[in-house]
Amino acid sequence: MPASYIGRFAPSPTGPLHAGSMVAALASWLDARAHGGRWLVRIEDVDVPRCVPGADRVILQQIADCGLLPDEPPLYQSQRSAQYQQALDDLVARGRAYPCACSRRDIEAEQQRLGRVKSRHGELVYPGTCRDGLHGKAPRAWRLRVPASIVPWTDRRLGPQTQDVEADVGDFVLKRADGYFAYQLAVVVDDGAQGITHIVRGEDLADNTARQILLQFALGLPTPAYLHTPLVLGANGEKLSKQNGALALDTRDPLLALKTAAAVLGLQVSGTTVGDCLTAATAQWAALWRATAKIQG
Ligand code: GLU
């Protein structure tokens, strides 16, 4: 019988956790515990060039310091290329994915020719150049054939959302020109394989959800419930991220780290041990989500 709640925290080991990623880790743990569910950790080391050796161990230690212990040994995406290739082969066989010969420069040139601008995130919308074949060119990447439709989904915190993936993103990459699988494919295959029922992650990832729902449909996988947590902003007003030099979270004082992350989630947690803090936070989290009638499962 499938479990009624399986959640996960899925960090990319590109450096230690910062205060913002701890908020997502804590929220996903609290939501799993408040539902009496299981909580898994997946190390998303699929983008090998961006990974920092040893960062996985640092992250696992940081969450362990804060009492967040997964119910199973962590899954590493770097071990799962065969599963991603199988999913891609399946999509290609059913005409849902196709090879693409375009370089970034080709896409930019085509966008200019069409008089289009970049998407609101500054990304290039793929103009569909290779949709109908490579015309003798060599394949570089593999893309999902995105259907023309608006994708609706509901976030437990942000409410109803929609995205026109075709217009905003276009046919997106599943396997990159450098041979690595794209985050979108890996995350969807793994959430499906691990039976994840509830995804709790930072709001900076909300924008990926519609793409991931399209991929779930294409692969015949169920769509989990989504909750995107508030971001932590740095002094410059920008969200904390490893890319803009956010400091590693210091978990030598785990109570401070936990209370700080809990406060971002609207929880006022007291307690003198990690265990007490987590118990209090779990009770508050459950009450908060029940009160807003948004708790699911
Ligand atoms: N690995 C992604 C990140 O650290 C998160 C993926 C997810 O939670 O869906 O940004």
Side-chain angles (χ1 to χ4, degrees):
M1 191 182 82
S4 58
Y5 188 114
I6 305 178
R8 50 54 158 197
F9 174 53
S12 303
T14 53
L17 296 187
H18 52 71
S21 28
M22 187 62 201
V23 172
L26 176 62
S28 67
W29 186 92
L30 288 174
D31 202 49
R33 291 294 172 257
H35 282 83
R38 293 175 65 71
W39 187 69
L40 311 182
V41 172
R42 186 167 69 228
I43 301 293
E44 299 213 318
D45 53 354
V46 71
D47 188 351
V48 175
R50 283 187 56 231
C51 291
V52 172
D56 58 326
R57 284 194 304 278
V58 175
I59 291 172
L60 293 170
Q61 187 61 52
Q62 286 175 301
I63 56 175
D65 288 346
C66 294
L68 310 182
L69 299 173
D71 293 320
E72 286 175 18
L75 187 76
Y76 280 73
Q77 290 192 323
S78 54
Q79 315 277 306
R80 295 191 36 85
S81 299
Q83 284 81 358
Y84 307 147
Q85 188 62 52
Q86 201 176 9
L88 179 61
D89 290 346
D90 173 48
L91 292 169
V92 173
R94 289 185 292 111
R96 304 298 303 269
Y98 63 88
C100 171
C102 300
S103 65
R104 195 178 167 82
R105 197 176 299 163
D106 294 334
I107 299 172
E108 270 166 0
E110 181 63 4
Q111 288 289 22
Q112 243 166 23
R113 197 183 66 78
L114 296 168
R116 292 200 200 147
V117 287
K118 288 183 180 178
S119 77
R120 62 194 147 111
H121 305 289
E123 283 167 23
L124 289 168
V125 176
Y126 183 64
T129 319
C130 297
R131 258 193 164 208
D132 302 321
L134 292 169
H135 306 292
K137 287 184 266 168
R140 291 167 51 87
W142 296 79
R143 293 179 182 274
L144 184 77
R145 196 181 295 279
V146 170
S149 67
I150 310 278
V151 182
W153 57 283
T154 301
D155 185 273
R156 291 167 53 205
R157 183 174 76 92
L158 303 171
Q161 312 284 316
T162 55
Q163 191 183 27
D164 182 341
V165 179
E166 195 196 25
D168 279 5
V169 186
D171 293 347
F172 55 89
V173 171
L174 302 175
K175 190 175 186 182
R176 308 180 341 188
D178 60 9
Y180 292 111
F181 289 95
Y183 155 66
Q184 307 294 355
L185 181 67
V187 83
V188 167
V189 169
D190 288 344
D191 285 334
Q194 294 189 287
I196 302 299
T197 58
H198 291 68
I199 291 179
V200 179
R201 59 185 180 189
E203 197 176 324
D204 53 333
L205 293 162
D207 193 46
N208 295 283
T209 308
R211 268 174 278 179
Q212 292 170 13
I213 290 173
L214 284 179
L215 255 177
Q216 289 153 6
F217 285 165
L219 288 166
L221 295 169
T223 292
Y226 287 94
L227 190 165
H228 289 88
T229 56
L231 300 181
V232 177
L233 302 182
N236 58 2
E238 280 183 28
K239 76 160 178 107
L240 288 190
S241 76
K242 292 166 199 162
Q243 286 74 33
N244 63 24
L247 288 182
L249 179 75
D250 186 350
T251 51
R252 281 172 304 181
D253 185 350
L255 283 181
L256 179 64
L258 272 179
K259 287 176 185 175
T260 309
V264 176
L265 297 169
L267 312 173
Q268 299 308 320
V269 176
S270 57
T272 50
T273 66
V274 164
D276 284 353
C277 273
L278 288 175
T279 303
T282 306
Q284 282 187 36
W285 179 271
L288 188 75
W289 288 98
R290 258 188 227 112
T292 49
K294 283 180 178 164
I295 202 154
Q296 301 183 11

